[in-house]
């Protein structure tokens, strides 16, 4: 199996007993085609047989389903850890006891603010109901947590909410940004400005350092900042935290809709992102293993991205971050992720660079960054330098190298070509051009140009080694 799934999110129903202002699915009554108990239990068996480690049951409101305890038991009895996200309105002591008896692993309640704000967003009495639910879970020893969707309605009271949650005895807290889907799409004034993502990361960092509650930024919040990594280290209690490896959709996880249709992510539910066959027409394993499955994610490459993400040093790793953020904010999963903290940092840096006119200082700064392996920032500085001095041959060659190290082979090729127009005898520019050609797929062209670079350089050893490597890899 090329891709091994470990988790899924299953929207067991679209019915809900709340009408939340930010609900991405605009949930109300259960929709037609909802899986029957028999179908749901058979799906549980398929989930276990596929080797999933854990499943998150969501909705709608999952506790609306009369057979929810049966679903939990069927999964847990086969070694699958079952998580559930609920609004807590139906989670009285009896329900909590039932879920525990049937093997629930964790229960998370959505809480979006202090009492006044939470009730305004969701329903009057919702906050107190959630607080009572936490009391039951604590008494019964059920592992619990909170999920908060951050919008302009609550971002400025996160500190107050944190204190409320700590008083409730909440141990784990996941935060995510509200995206313009469903009901929230009709409330543009609730949507966060991109810059506020850094405020959320700062808040998570300070909260994690305090150590009074574990906080987990969702995959739509990041990426690649020291503070974000530190939050993960603290909350996951490990120093072995790697850089975010991109969206799990269709790679290590998937989503299941109320009617058994399969998709990469339950948030990305437009028709073109849903697999052709549902579990009523095929098996879960056959859908997952299909060669053309989840093509929008499995076949996606850095080159498919637009804007700053297309040239980002992390582009091949994160592929633009959360695709649903890009889709809902910009209308396309190919678009730049304006909510990326690293992107915001670079844009701020570019803005400051436009005020600098000291070409020599820029070059020295770029060289220092390259020595440290900080290629993206070096490329930005050198771009500014080449704007100031378009005929600076050396700056073009060094910029080309920085772009190459960022994986931007087309830009590397263009910069080296410009340098060669100024000086056809520049062996560094010619070798850089050759390597760019090679990585763009023109292997023979790259080899031929590298041979000329070797001759031009008088047989430089490093270029001979590059040529040998290219020829060996081509064969």
């Amino acid at each position: 199996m090329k891709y091994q799934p470990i988790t899924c999110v299953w929207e067991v129903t679209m019915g809900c007993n709340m009408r939340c202002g930010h609900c991405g699915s605009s949930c109300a009554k259960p929709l037609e085609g909802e899986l029957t108990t028999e179908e749901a239990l058979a799906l549980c068996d398929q989930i276990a047989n596929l080797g999933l480690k854990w499943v998150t049951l969501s909705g709608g409101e999952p506790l609306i389903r009369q057979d929810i305890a049966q679903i939990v038991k069927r999964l847990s009895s086969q070694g699958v850890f079952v998580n559930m996200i609920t609004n807590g309105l139906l989670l009285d002591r009896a329900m909590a006891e039932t879920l525990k008896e049937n093997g629930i692993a964790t229960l998370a309640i959505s809480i979006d603010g202090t009492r006044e704000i939470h009730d305004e967003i969701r329903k009057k009495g919702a906050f107190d109901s959630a607080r009572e639910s936490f009391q039951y879970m604590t008494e019964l020893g059920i592992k619990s947590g909170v999920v908060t969707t951050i919008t302009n309605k609550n971002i400025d009271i996160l500190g107050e909410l944190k204190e409320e949650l700590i008083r409730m005895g909440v141990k784990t807290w996941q935060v995510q940004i509200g995206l313009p889907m469903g009901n929230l799409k009709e409330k543009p004034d609730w949507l966060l400005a991109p810059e506020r993502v850094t405020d959320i990361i700062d808040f998570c960092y300070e909260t994690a350092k305090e150590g009074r509650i574990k906080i987990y930024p969702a995959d739509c919040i990041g990426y690649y900042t020291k503070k974000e990594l530190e939050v993960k280290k603290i909350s996951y209690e490990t120093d072995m935290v790697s850089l975010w490896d991109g969206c799990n959709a269709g790679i290590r996880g998937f989503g299941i809709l109320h009617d058994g249709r399969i998709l990469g992510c339950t948030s990305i539910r437009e028709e073109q992102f849903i697999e052709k066959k549902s579990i009523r027409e095929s098996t879960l394993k056959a859908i997952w293993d299909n060669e053309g499955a989840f093509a929008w994610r499995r076949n996606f490459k850095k080159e498919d991205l637009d804007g700053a993400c297309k040239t980002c040093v992390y582009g091949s790793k994160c592929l633009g971050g959360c695709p649903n953020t890009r889709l809902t904010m910009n209308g396309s999963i190919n678009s730049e992720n304006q909510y990326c903290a690293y992107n915001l940092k670079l844009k701020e840096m570019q803005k400051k660079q436009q005020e600098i006119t000291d070409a020599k200082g820029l070059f020295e700064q770029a060289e220092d960054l390259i020595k440290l392996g900080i290629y993206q920032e070096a490329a930005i500085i050198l771009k500014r330098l080449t704007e100031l001095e378009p005929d600076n041959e050396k700056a073009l060659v060094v910029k080309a190298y920085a772009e190459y190290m960022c994986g931007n082979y087309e830009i590397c090729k263009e910069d080296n070509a410009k340098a060669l127009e100024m000086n056809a005898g520049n062996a560094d520019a010619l070798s850089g051009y050759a390597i760019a050609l090679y990585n763009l797929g023109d292997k023979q062209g790259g080899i031929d140009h590298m041979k000329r670079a070797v001759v031009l350089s008088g047989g430089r050893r490093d270029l001979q080694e590059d040529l040998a490597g290219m020829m060996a890899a081509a064969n």
Side-chain angles (χ1 to χ4, degrees):
M1 184 183 294
K2 184 176 181 181
Y3 299 98
Q4 176 59 56
I6 58 174
T7 185
C8 77
V9 175
W10 181 3
E11 291 185 347
V12 292
T13 182
M14 291 295 280
C16 191
N17 50 1
M18 288 189 183
R19 301 293 180 267
C20 304
H22 59 15
C23 179
S25 304
S26 299
C27 295
K29 296 180 180 179
L31 299 179
E32 285 188 28
E34 189 172 286
L35 295 180
T36 64
T37 297
E38 183 179 3
E39 289 173 322
L41 295 179
L43 179 55
C44 291
D45 297 338
Q46 292 190 50
I47 287 171
N49 291 334
L50 193 56
L52 269 66
K53 304 299 183 186
W54 69 90
V55 170
T56 298
L57 304 179
S58 69
E61 169 50 50
L63 294 181
I64 278 182
R65 281 196 67 127
Q66 297 300 307
D67 57 2
I68 194 65
Q70 291 176 261
I71 293 173
V72 171
K73 183 175 182 179
R74 189 66 156 250
L75 289 166
S76 64
S77 65
Q78 298 182 74
V80 180
F81 285 86
V82 185
N83 309 318
M84 185 184 296
I85 301 175
T86 172
N87 59 37
L89 207 58
L90 297 176
L91 190 59
D92 56 16
R93 186 179 183 87
M95 177 57 76
E97 289 175 344
T98 298
L99 291 174
K100 182 180 180 181
E101 290 168 2
N102 285 280
I104 195 75
T106 63
L107 272 169
I109 297 181
S110 299
I111 299 182
D112 297 308
T114 49
R115 180 186 286 106
E116 181 181 356
I117 291 175
H118 181 73
D119 285 3
E120 179 187 348
I121 291 172
R122 290 181 172 268
K123 186 175 183 177
K124 186 173 177 58
F127 185 85
D128 289 336
S129 176
R131 186 166 57 185
E132 289 177 6
S133 296
F134 272 106
Q135 181 180 338
Y136 303 139
M137 289 189 285
T138 300
E139 292 172 357
L140 294 169
I142 298 174
K143 189 175 180 180
S144 61
V146 161
V147 177
T148 297
T149 299
I150 303 176
T151 66
N152 282 332
K153 294 288 290 183
N154 60 12
I155 189 169
D156 293 322
I157 54 93
L158 289 177
E160 296 173 53
L161 176 56
K162 176 186 67 178
E163 297 303 327
E164 289 276 13
L165 298 183
I166 291 171
R167 282 194 288 271
M168 286 185 196
V170 176
K171 305 299 182 187
T172 62
W173 185 17
Q174 177 178 298
V175 293
Q176 60 194 27
I177 59 174
L179 298 172
M181 305 165 55
N183 294 346
L184 191 53
K185 192 173 183 178
E186 308 305 318
K187 298 177 176 64
D189 56 314
W190 286 27
L191 295 176
L192 297 173
E195 304 79 51
R196 304 245 40 194
V197 168
T198 55
D199 295 334
I200 296 172
I201 293 174
D202 287 346
F203 174 78
C204 291
Y205 177 71
E206 295 301 327
T207 299
K209 283 202 306 179
E210 288 177 355
R212 295 191 297 150
I213 185 172
K214 288 187 177 180
I215 191 163
Y216 301 88
D219 285 349
C220 55
I221 298 174
Y223 309 88
Y224 308 127
T225 68
K226 291 180 180 179
K227 286 184 177 180
E228 179 208 11
L229 279 174
E230 193 61 30
V231 171
K232 290 178 180 177
K233 287 180 181 179
I234 295 171
S235 294
Y236 288 104
E237 299 181 346
T238 178
D239 287 328
M240 303 299 290
V241 175
S242 61
L243 296 174
W244 193 61
D245 209 21
C247 174
N248 277 326
I251 307 297
R252 293 175 294 275
F254 58 92
I256 306 172
L257 298 181
H258 69 285
D259 55 5
R261 287 178 294 162
I262 305 298
L263 68 179
C265 170
T266 53
S267 294
I268 305 177
R269 53 204 309 135
E270 284 82 352
E271 197 62 38
Q272 67 266 34
F273 300 109
I274 300 176
E275 296 305 300
K276 293 180 180 178
K277 292 185 177 181
S278 74
I279 60 99
R280 284 174 167 148
E281 303 163 300
S282 183
T283 65
L284 191 55
K285 181 173 177 16
I287 295 170
W288 179 265
D289 288 342
N290 178 33
E291 187 175 339
F294 312 100
W296 67 271
R297 173 63 181 90
R298 291 179 179 177
N299 298 336
F300 201 80
K301 306 180 295 299
K302 176 183 177 180
E303 294 74 28
D304 297 322
L305 290 163
D306 295 328
C309 291
K310 190 181 187 73
T311 57
C312 179
V313 67
Y314 297 116
S316 296
K317 188 172 182 64
C318 80
L319 295 175
C322 172
N324 191 46
T325 301
R326 307 195 307 273
L327 178 65
T328 55
M329 293 296 183
N330 307 315
S332 170
I333 63 170
N334 301 85
S335 62
E336 173 186 319
N337 192 338
Q338 299 159 306
Y339 285 74
C340 167
Y342 186 65
N343 185 8
L344 289 166
K345 172 188 171 184
L346 294 183
K347 279 183 165 45
E348 183 62 28
M349 179 183 176
Q350 287 173 317
K351 184 178 178 181
K352 291 180 180 178
Q353 291 297 320
Q354 292 304 309
E355 301 171 2
I356 300 174
T357 57
D358 177 11
K360 182 181 178 182
L362 287 169
F363 191 81
E364 290 173 351
Q365 185 182 1
E367 282 195 314
D368 289 341
L369 289 172
I370 287 174
K371 288 176 184 176
L372 295 171
I374 305 175
Y375 300 109
Q376 185 90 63
E377 287 88 333
I380 289 173
I381 291 170
L382 290 163
K383 181 179 179 181
R384 173 56 180 161
L385 173 52
T386 55
E387 289 172 352
L388 292 171
E389 298 183 351
D391 297 328
N392 190 324
E393 179 187 335
K394 186 176 181 181
L396 277 168
V397 174
V398 177
K399 178 178 180 292
Y401 172 73
E403 296 286 6
Y404 172 81
M405 296 303 292
C406 292
N408 301 325
Y409 306 128
E410 190 62 47
I411 300 176
C412 172
K413 173 187 166 186
E414 292 170 1
D415 287 341
N416 281 310
K418 289 177 184 176
L420 288 169
E421 287 176 7
M422 299 175 196
N423 178 10
N426 189 324
D428 288 323
L430 186 57
S431 63
Y433 185 84
I435 293 174
L437 273 182
Y438 189 90
N439 281 277
L440 288 167
D442 185 0
K443 297 189 182 302
Q444 190 57 53
I447 290 171
D448 291 343
H449 280 78
M450 185 59 78
K451 287 179 178 178
R452 289 197 287 274
V454 170
V455 173
L456 191 62
S457 69
R460 263 173 44 188
R461 185 177 182 83
D462 60 326
L463 299 189
Q464 289 186 49
E465 290 174 352
D466 287 341
L467 175 60
M470 291 165 71
M471 294 176 69
N475 294 326

